[in-house]
Amino acid sequence: MSKVFSIAVAGNPNCGKTTIFNALTGTRQHVGNWPGVTVERKDGRLVYREQTYQVVDLPGTYSLSTYSIEEIVARDYIVQDAPDIIINVVDAANLERNLFLTTQLIEIGRPLVIVLNMMDMAYEKGLKIDTETLGIILGAPVVPVVGRTGQGIELLKEKINRVQTQISEKARYIEIPFQRDIETQIEIIRSALVQSGLPLANPRWVAVKLLEKDERIWKYLTDFPEKNHLREIVAGAVAQIEKIFKDSSRAAISHARYGFIRGAIQECVQNTIVDPVDYSRKIDKILTHRILGLPIFAVFMWLMFVFTFEVGAYPMAWIDSGVSWVVNTLYTILPHSMLTSLVVDGAISGVGAIAVFLPNIFILFFIIALLEDTGYMARMAFIMDRVMHALGLHGKAFIPMVMGFGCNVPAIMGTRILESRRDRILTTLINPFMSCSARLPVYILVAGAFFPQHAGTVIFAMYLTGVVAAILSGKLFSKTVLRGKSKPFVLELPPYQRPKMSALLLHTWERGQIFIRKMSTVILVGAIIVWALGYFPRDVKYATDYNAKYTHLKQTYQNQQVSVKQAFENSVAAQRRQYFSTMVPFRSSTHYQELTNQRDSLLQKNTAWYRTEVVKVDYAKNAEAMEQKWIGKLGKIIEPFVAPLGFTWREGVALITGFVAKEIVVSTYGVLFGVGNMATEQNPGIITSLKTSGMTPLIALGFLVFVLLYTPCLATMAAIRRETGSLGWTSFSIIYSLSLAWLLAYGLYRIGSALQWLS
Amino acid sequence: MGTQSGHQARHRLRADGLRLSDLHPGEHGRILEMGGSEHFRIRLMEMGLLINDSVEVDKFAPLQDPMEIIVKGYHLSLRRMDAEKIRVELVKPDE
């Protein structure tokens, strides 16, 4: 067993870093988060010539200054975990800006292999790059690669192997030279660091960082004997540079790095075409056109919505019927016991209710991958930034907001496309107010019952209320709890690219499996809790003697069946006498046929009647039982809390079960009113029961507002927990939405009552 | 000619010179000075916007903000309020 070497892949966003990472590791990948932060971390393995490499995909960054979490994560990994090799992926068609990160990687001084990716695009642009000379100048092997086709990947593996095994191939450490005035100050700080005797791997790099006023670098200097003295030295050096350059020391150093890059490019890059064709620019002339841009964008959004939710509805129905089939089959196979109920009613039905969202989620993630890989995502941000900026958000935040109308779970997971953590949290927090499709059945039921003439208007008003709540909450959060530094919007619009199916599927799977893995555990627990609330305690004392009802029903049914058969026999006997004279046998006569048909239909009708009556008794029994189960008791406990809104314990119970999934509110009502738990919107029983339960149109409206705004469902809460990475934000979201729902419903009820409106 | 006189008019609007956000699509500007916070200026440098660099304004978004510029051969989008912090002079495309 030889040692496993570690490789870190670094590079700018849009440089094709992920393509290179995928090409190196294949499907042997693991997606997770960097500890403590919600920055995606991808790990993979490369085996080449019997040597195993652990490959980490660092977040894409333009620099290693420490302004963003991504940059901090990338730099900390390089400095603290000291990977054996750093692969720096560089976009050959955009060399000058990409090399800025390279200069910083060179300064850190870990063994480096530079991958010149997108050589084909550079060639199209008419750029001829002398990779040999570039390698000499940068002090690291340079490998030209076309990531999309895999050209050059074998050579890259070979180079990685040689850098690791052959000393002669090892990157020779070069220093990025600065102007004399800067060098003098670097030297002053460097010698102070060296004299302290602190074991620093690269004192020159630390000195440069100190000059750049990088506060995080002090983390490595905790053991420095005279820190105050060092601070004085640094402050003096910074002041000296700022006096000479009449600019901040950071800017002066950045300028110097670009100076080095320009020199390298002059040496190694030849421009063979004066005015290359910019295909992307031509496409953008239409897609971000002054007038056409917005309609085209709207059509794309609409298509995304249709694909995710309408096309997704087919596999959704398959899963739904699959789950029902499993539930029914298990019920017939397994003996009726608590364990059966736990497995079937609790686990399978509960998880099944969430599993139906899988197709939506996978389709959405596929579309997001498509938008990202083609480059249109950046254009969406470009087009929508003005609108989202008004909410204190980045243009890209528009996508998860719209997706929230479908389902908040994929929408919240979609906030990963946002780069800043603050934007991600803000978008996540306001997303549940976008009224998801699961709330629609509740609106249809309640609005249909109480506002039959204006159901459409009421439902539309709910959607609108949700949007307004999201906007106002967004404004409120960005002014209070999420004030933070608003980052300047500096967004690269990368060239359009033809996406690769394998990459799209890989990205879809990477994100989708997180949903499967994490959600199933949370949902499982939640579903079992709700099941237990409705299952215990087992001994229920019924006020009505249901057994007598069942017996009575059965008796009536059987009597009726007997009398129908008797009537048939009598008719046959009567008719047969008439047929005696004819030659036709009575049993083959049409008359006899009619009589049998009549009998059969009566028998069937009777059976159907019996079944519905039994179900009605079942429902009534269930409703009475519910009141005595924990869930009913819970409803009674929270009754004082919802009573000011005009709600009864039934609404309380419905709202509690709505935590699992909001559409369950409808079926809970069905159970509570004893009209069936498979209640549909068309079920007249539930509507009648609602109307006679003492609920007024005003209370109903308040109830709808509450359902719209209150604590999101379990799956959404799990998504919030996952994407914010914090229990604090999750609880905040729960408490905030619950309070908002309560206050608005209360306000509506109070004001409405005072005005005697809708009473 | 039209853009030239337009530029003159725009130029007169500001006492302290033309800004990147004042340029029209297709116009080129040379960066003279970058204002705003140090964070902002460093971020722009990391993205390749340096003093003395020439940039071309490609277009404005359909809702007029942000704007798209071409710098070092690639396309970059900035909000107008940020572009307003960048002082430029109008130059001919080949300069």
Side-chain angles (χ1 to χ4, degrees), chain A residues 275-295:
Chain A
D275 201 4
V277 190
D278 190 342
Y279 290 104
S280 264
R281 199 172 174 187
K282 286 196 191 282
I283 299 173
D284 256 348
K285 284 250 185 301
I286 300 163
L287 291 189
T288 59
H289 185 267
R290 204 162 47 89
I291 296 157
L292 294 177
L294 272 173

Side-chain angles (χ1 to χ4, degrees), chain A residues 119-131:
Chain A
M119 283 301 281
D120 51 340
M121 297 190 60
Y123 182 79
E124 266 175 41
K125 264 188 158 181
L127 300 173
K128 269 180 76 180
I129 304 170
D130 178 355
T131 52

Side-chain angles (χ1 to χ4, degrees), chain A residues 104 207-214 249-250 253-254 257:
Chain A
Q104 299 187 352
V208 172
K209 285 289 141 189
L210 285 172
L211 262 190
E212 282 189 288
K213 294 183 272 189
D214 186 322
S249 58
R250 292 198 60 164
I253 288 171
S254 293
R257 291 200 184 110

Side-chain angles (χ1 to χ4, degrees), chain A residues 493-749:
Chain A
L493 299 170
Y496 286 106
Q497 291 218 309
R498 197 192 305 267
K500 246 176 100 176
M501 199 53 169
S502 58
L504 293 179
L505 291 177
L506 189 65
H507 293 165
T508 309
W509 172 242
E510 277 168 9
R511 287 176 179 159
Q513 63 164 358
I514 298 172
F515 180 81
I516 296 178
R517 232 181 17 220
K518 292 278 174 181
M519 299 294 152
S520 57
T521 49
V522 180
I523 293 306
L524 194 62
V525 173
I528 288 172
I529 291 174
V530 171
W531 167 83
L533 288 177
Y535 191 81
F536 295 109
R538 292 310 292 157
D539 54 324
V540 175
K541 287 182 187 66
Y542 295 102
T544 320
D545 187 357
Y546 289 101
N547 285 340
K549 276 197 168 184
Y550 284 126
T551 325
H552 176 69
L553 262 180
K554 197 164 187 181
Q555 202 56 55
T556 319
Y557 170 63
Q558 280 167 350
N559 288 345
Q560 274 178 352
Q561 297 293 80
V562 169
S563 67
V564 167
K565 282 176 192 161
Q566 195 55 55
F568 171 75
E569 292 301 329
N570 292 344
S571 305
V572 166
Q575 299 284 341
R576 180 167 278 167
R577 260 175 252 131
Q578 289 175 13
Y579 267 80
F580 229 41
S581 50
T582 64
M583 293 306 286
V584 186
F586 176 61
R587 281 185 186 272
S588 49
S589 73
T590 47
H591 213 118
Y592 181 76
Q593 275 302 314
E594 272 169 32
L595 280 176
T596 19
N597 287 347
Q598 206 177 6
R599 177 200 60 182
D600 290 347
S601 99
L602 274 174
L603 286 178
Q604 270 170 19
K605 242 188 228 167
N606 205 16
T607 311
W609 168 84
Y610 173 64
R611 287 205 181 121
T612 24
E613 285 306 302
V614 168
V615 171
K616 272 188 196 166
V617 178
D618 281 346
Y619 289 161
K621 188 179 172 188
N622 209 351
E624 202 183 323
M626 272 302 158
E627 222 174 319
Q628 297 177 46
K629 300 286 183 190
W630 288 342
I631 198 159
K633 288 180 178 152
L634 202 59
K636 300 258 173 173
I637 291 171
I638 67 162
E639 199 170 14
F641 171 74
V642 293
L645 316 176
F647 300 170
T648 66
W649 69 273
R650 286 200 185 85
E651 279 77 40
V653 171
L655 292 170
I656 291 172
T657 54
F659 282 143
V660 177
K662 292 213 176 174
E663 59 265 65
I664 294 182
V665 168
V666 174
S667 51
T668 308
Y669 258 129
V671 174
L672 294 177
F673 285 121
V675 288
N677 58 5
M678 295 308 286
T680 60
E681 301 87 297
Q682 289 82 23
N683 190 333
I686 202 168
I687 290 183
T688 326
S689 312
L690 267 178
K691 280 179 164 168
T692 50
S693 72
M695 199 186 235
T696 65
L698 179 65
I699 297 172
L701 205 59
F703 183 69
L704 286 182
V705 169
F706 202 93
V707 168
L708 164 71
L709 297 174
Y710 89 115
T711 311
C713 70
L714 207 57
T716 307
M717 281 192 268
I720 293 176
R721 165 78 181 85
R722 164 147 193 106
E723 295 309 314
T724 58
S726 132
L727 267 180
W729 282 119
T730 315
S731 337
F732 174 79
S733 164
I734 294 171
I735 293 167
Y736 178 81
S737 44
L738 206 53
S739 324
L740 188 67
W742 197 91
L743 285 174
L744 281 190
Y746 180 73
L748 189 70
Y749 183 57

Side-chain angles (χ1 to χ4, degrees), chain A residues 15 74 86 91 119 133 137 146 162 168 190 240 292 295 316 327 331 369 395 435 470 477 556 571 577 622 638 719:
Chain A
C15 71
I86 297 173
D91 176 1
M119 283 301 281
T133 315
I137 295 174
V146 182
R162 262 197 268 164
S168 62
R190 197 189 69 88
Q240 193 65 27
L292 294 177
M316 197 171 185
V327 166
Y331 254 132
S435 185
F477 295 157
T556 319
S571 305
R577 260 175 252 131
N622 209 351
I638 67 162

Side-chain angles (χ1 to χ4, degrees), chain A residues 115-415:
Chain A
V115 174
L116 270 191
N117 192 22
M118 309 204 193
M119 283 301 281
D120 51 340
M121 297 190 60
Y123 182 79
E124 266 175 41
K125 264 188 158 181
L127 300 173
K128 269 180 76 180
I129 304 170
D130 178 355
T131 52
E132 202 67 28
T133 315
L134 189 63
I136 294 168
I137 295 174
L138 299 176
V142 174
V143 188
V145 159
V146 182
R148 258 174 46 79
T149 61
Q151 210 178 316
I153 294 294
E154 279 309 305
L155 183 65
L156 171 62
K157 291 180 183 169
E158 178 65 37
K159 271 276 187 269
I160 292 170
N161 190 261
R162 262 197 268 164
V163 164
Q164 204 38 248
T165 51
Q166 296 173 17
I167 303 297
S168 62
E169 282 281 338
K170 267 222 167 77
R172 128 195 96 79
Y173 177 65
I174 63 146
E175 289 178 358
I176 304 291
F178 295 102
Q179 287 98 320
R180 261 245 314 281
D181 298 310
I182 300 178
E183 285 291 346
T184 318
Q185 305 304 327
I186 292 174
E187 187 48 36
I188 291 172
I189 300 175
R190 197 189 69 88
S191 52
L193 288 170
V194 173
Q195 274 162 26
S196 74
L198 207 64
L200 291 171
N202 189 345
R204 178 181 162 90
W205 176 71
V206 177
V208 172
K209 285 289 141 189
L210 285 172
L211 262 190
E212 282 189 288
K213 294 183 272 189
D214 186 322
E215 277 303 313
R216 262 185 96 80
I217 203 75
W218 289 94
K219 203 168 80 156
Y220 306 118
L221 299 171
T222 41
D223 297 331
F224 196 82
E226 287 167 87
K227 240 181 284 177
N228 283 340
H229 180 59
L230 183 62
R231 277 197 190 271
E232 270 169 37
I233 294 176
V234 171
V238 167
Q240 193 65 27
I241 288 176
E242 296 189 342
K243 206 176 91 192
I244 296 166
F245 289 89
K246 297 188 177 58
D247 202 344
S248 83
S249 58
R250 292 198 60 164
I253 288 171
S254 293
H255 261 286
R257 291 200 184 110
Y258 269 111
F260 170 78
I261 293 166
R262 278 199 189 134
I265 284 177
Q266 253 166 23
E267 199 91 349
C268 312
V269 182
Q270 257 186 309
N271 231 330
T272 54
I273 303 176
V274 181
D275 201 4
V277 190
D278 190 342
Y279 290 104
S280 264
R281 199 172 174 187
K282 286 196 191 282
I283 299 173
D284 256 348
K285 284 250 185 301
I286 300 163
L287 291 189
T288 59
H289 185 267
R290 204 162 47 89
I291 296 157
L292 294 177
L294 272 173
I296 292 176
F297 168 75
V299 168
F300 278 139
M301 288 310 289
W302 178 76
L303 282 176
M304 175 153 124
F305 210 81
V306 166
F307 267 97
T308 307
F309 296 107
E310 293 198 4
V311 178
Y314 296 100
M316 197 171 185
W318 302 335
I319 295 180
D320 201 22
S321 47
V323 171
S324 309
W325 183 82
V326 171
V327 166
N328 288 331
T329 314
L330 286 180
Y331 254 132
T332 42
I333 298 172
L334 298 173
H336 280 237
S337 67
M338 191 183 100
L339 192 67
T340 307
S341 182
L342 168 72
V343 171
V344 180
D345 297 332
I348 297 179
S349 302
V351 173
I354 307 303
V356 295
F357 292 120
L358 278 178
N360 292 353
I361 287 166
F362 274 85
I363 295 174
L364 176 68
F365 283 161
F366 182 81
I367 296 172
I368 286 184
L370 189 69
L371 292 173
E372 280 182 331
D373 286 9
T374 51
Y376 188 68
M377 183 75 86
R379 273 73 184 184
M380 285 179 139
F382 179 68
I383 291 170
M384 285 316 290
D385 183 66
R386 174 118 191 221
V387 176
M388 299 316 287
H389 188 200
L391 300 181
L393 282 170
H394 191 283
K396 277 191 203 169
F398 186 76
I399 295 153
M401 295 309 285
V402 170
M403 297 322 292
F405 284 130
C407 175
N408 300 123
V409 175
I412 287 172
M413 292 174 75
T415 59

Side-chain angles (χ1 to χ4, degrees), chain B residues 27-87:
Chain B
E27 287 182 338
H28 292 242
R30 195 168 69 88
I31 299 174
L32 299 176
E33 195 186 330
M34 293 197 278
S37 67
E38 184 179 32
H39 175 183
F40 173 67
R41 284 183 293 132
I42 298 292
R43 185 99 175 96
L44 290 184
M45 279 190 193
E46 288 168 358
M47 302 297 287
L49 278 174
L50 299 169
I51 288 175
N52 277 329
D53 274 1
S54 276
V55 299
E56 179 187 348
V57 174
D58 189 39
K59 64 164 92 68
F60 289 87
L63 298 171
Q64 296 310 310
D65 199 18
M67 64 192 296
E68 180 178 341
I69 61 171
I70 302 172
V71 50
K72 297 200 179 349
Y74 83 98
H75 293 247
L76 184 71
S77 146
L78 291 172
R79 283 186 184 139
R80 290 179 99 137
M81 54 176 256
D82 289 327
E84 213 169 276
K85 296 169 189 155
I86 302 171
R87 212 157 63 76

